[in-house]
Amino acid sequence: MKQYVLITGITGELGAALAEVLVELKIPTACIIRKDKSEYDLDLGPFKVLKTDITDRENLFKYVNELKGKVHAVAHMASARRDKTEKELRETIVDGTLHLYDFAKEIGCPKFLYFSSTFAAGSVPREVPYIDETFMPNKKRLSCFGKMKLAAEEKLLSLSKVNITKVIILRAGNIYGPPTKLSFIKAVVDIIKNREKVLYHRARRSVIWSPIYVQDAIELILKLLLEEKEFNNQVYFLTGSEVVTLDLLVKILLDEMHIPAKAMELGFRGKCDFAFKKFVDLFRCFIDSPSFPNSIYSNNKLKNDFGFMPKTGVREGVPYTYKWALAKGAI
């Protein structure tokens, strides 16, 4: 009997990058898409395609008999965008995820890989060495997107304790790199191009992103999906191993863009503007609501449990991604 991996979000940026690898490795794959496959700029020819929406439980469950006993792992990568309403976020992130988990349980699938987000952990009001999986976020500080991701995590962990379908949750940071993921790089390039010097100097020491190169992320995904090791009902941070500040990212990209570092220095008016806004930043920090909170996430648990060690650091990955994006006209 053919054993599939079942993927949601395969038409998204990370999913499309993963799809290329699945085709290359000839891994039997089923995928859930909401529209006709002809509407996507992606070759889904080798895959078993299920046209449905995870928010439509009844329509999803029409495929139970077709896949019963034939799926050994589910990778749930689909998600609503952060700019959606609370109702839309709940329907997709919480309700849709639970529908898919129940579907996985119904077809006898033992492994459920859920892509959450570092938004579920939030950030910290003061600088700390890192946030690990034991950190309990202040839910009042979480964005609506983060609250929904955390709610889905909590429900999955509760269900997996009493069902055969076991869970691993990956709180993904900023995944970037060819062939699909530009991620935070455009935002940093725009800061340089627009000469947003005051913004840069205010935030330069802040750890705003948690980059991990896309091929490192895919390597871990394949390891989790294809190895025989059972899932352990745990939460992990899928981030790089470096503490990456805005200052570091700007310096890397200045070099790639052949712009001298002094181009980002403040003039007299800029220094005055910076001094005022820095005072505002200090005041916000004093009242425990900083303008640029640090978000330093530890991936030590992934290293310890699965031997995961990202291979590509930002000093290599960011320039390579910038050149790729420049060549395709994305920057």
Side-chain angles (χ1 to χ4, degrees):
M1 182 183 296
K2 185 180 290 188
Q3 288 286 314
Y4 293 97
V5 293
L6 175 62
I7 312 289
T8 69
I10 203 160
T11 58
E13 290 180 328
L14 178 60
L18 176 62
E20 290 191 5
V21 180
L22 293 171
V23 170
E24 182 181 347
L25 297 178
K26 298 181 179 178
I27 295 169
T29 302
C31 62
I32 291 175
I33 59 175
R34 291 180 297 166
K35 304 174 185 177
D36 291 329
K37 61 182 182 179
S38 60
E39 295 187 38
Y40 297 101
D41 186 22
L42 182 67
D43 181 13
L44 299 174
F47 301 146
K48 183 179 186 66
V49 175
L50 314 179
K51 186 187 173 186
T52 186
D53 191 320
I54 59 172
T55 62
D56 186 344
R57 183 185 178 93
E58 183 178 352
N59 197 35
L60 173 64
F61 271 65
K62 289 180 181 178
Y63 291 100
V64 165
N65 291 335
E66 189 174 338
L67 290 180
K68 203 172 188 80
K70 297 180 182 179
V71 177
H72 69 87
V74 171
H76 180 28
M77 298 189 294
S79 180
R81 297 194 310 271
R82 296 199 299 271
D83 60 355
K84 294 294 185 180
T85 65
E86 181 176 351
K87 180 177 182 292
E88 291 170 321
L89 289 171
R90 184 174 295 279
E91 286 176 348
T92 302
I93 295 175
V94 182
D95 298 341
T97 296
L98 296 181
H99 295 165
L100 187 64
Y101 178 84
D102 288 344
F103 179 80
K105 180 183 67 174
E106 190 70 20
I107 63 176
C109 175
K111 300 165 75 170
F112 191 95
L113 180 62
Y114 177 56
F115 277 77
S116 184
S117 167
T118 54
F119 279 85
S123 55
V124 290
R126 298 282 193 273
E127 184 172 353
V128 295
Y130 57 80
I131 297 174
D132 64 16
E133 291 80 2
T134 63
F135 176 77
M136 297 300 294
N138 182 339
K139 293 184 181 180
K140 292 181 180 179
R141 284 206 187 100
L142 295 180
S143 65
C144 186
F145 178 83
K147 289 176 184 176
M148 294 303 115
K149 284 290 188 181
L150 183 60
E153 288 183 11
E154 292 172 342
K155 290 180 182 295
L156 284 175
L157 291 172
S158 176
L159 289 169
S160 64
K161 288 179 181 178
V162 295
N163 290 299
I164 62 166
T165 303
K166 303 305 178 185
V167 168
I168 280 181
I169 294 168
L170 296 179
R171 287 176 172 172
N174 289 85
I175 301 174
Y176 74 100
T180 57
K181 294 283 284 180
L182 186 56
S183 191
F184 60 91
I185 293 176
K186 186 178 187 306
V188 181
V189 168
D190 286 344
I191 287 174
I192 296 170
K193 283 185 174 181
N194 298 331
R195 296 295 190 269
E196 294 177 353
K197 300 176 186 179
V198 174
L199 171 63
Y200 163 55
H201 282 269
R202 288 166 65 201
R204 63 188 301 174
R205 292 183 178 85
S206 298
V207 184
I208 301 173
W209 294 283
S210 302
I212 179 166
Y213 197 63
V214 65
Q215 298 305 326
D216 287 329
I218 287 174
E219 184 176 318
L220 175 69
I221 294 167
L222 292 175
K223 181 182 181 73
L224 295 175
L225 293 178
L226 302 180
E227 287 188 354
E228 294 299 322
K229 188 174 181 179
E230 294 182 356
F231 280 12
N232 56 6
N233 299 332
Q234 296 291 316
V235 179
Y236 298 93
F237 283 110
L238 179 59
T239 60
S241 299
E242 303 162 288
V243 176
V244 179
T245 62
L246 176 61
D247 192 31
L248 174 60
L249 294 174
V250 167
K251 287 177 179 177
I252 291 171
L253 285 163
L254 281 172
D255 189 51
E256 287 303 310
M257 297 167 74
H258 306 293
I259 297 173
K262 66 180 182 181
M264 295 303 289
E265 292 177 358
L266 290 168
F268 176 75
R269 292 182 63 180
K271 287 178 181 178
C272 294
D273 192 13
F274 172 68
F276 171 73
K277 290 182 177 176
K278 190 65 175 176
F279 172 78
V280 173
D281 295 336
L282 289 172
F283 177 75
R284 286 176 61 92
C285 192
F286 177 75
I287 63 173
D288 222 21
S289 181
S291 303
F292 304 100
N294 286 321
S295 304
I296 311 170
Y297 305 101
S298 169
N299 62 12
N300 286 337
K301 190 176 175 183
L302 265 182
K303 295 176 186 176
N304 294 336
D305 288 5
F306 296 99
F308 174 67
M309 181 67 73
K311 298 174 183 176
T312 305
V314 293
R315 290 169 181 82
E316 178 185 354
V318 169
Y320 189 74
T321 304
Y322 172 76
K323 291 171 185 174
W324 160 75
L326 194 63
K328 65 179 293 189
I331 288 182

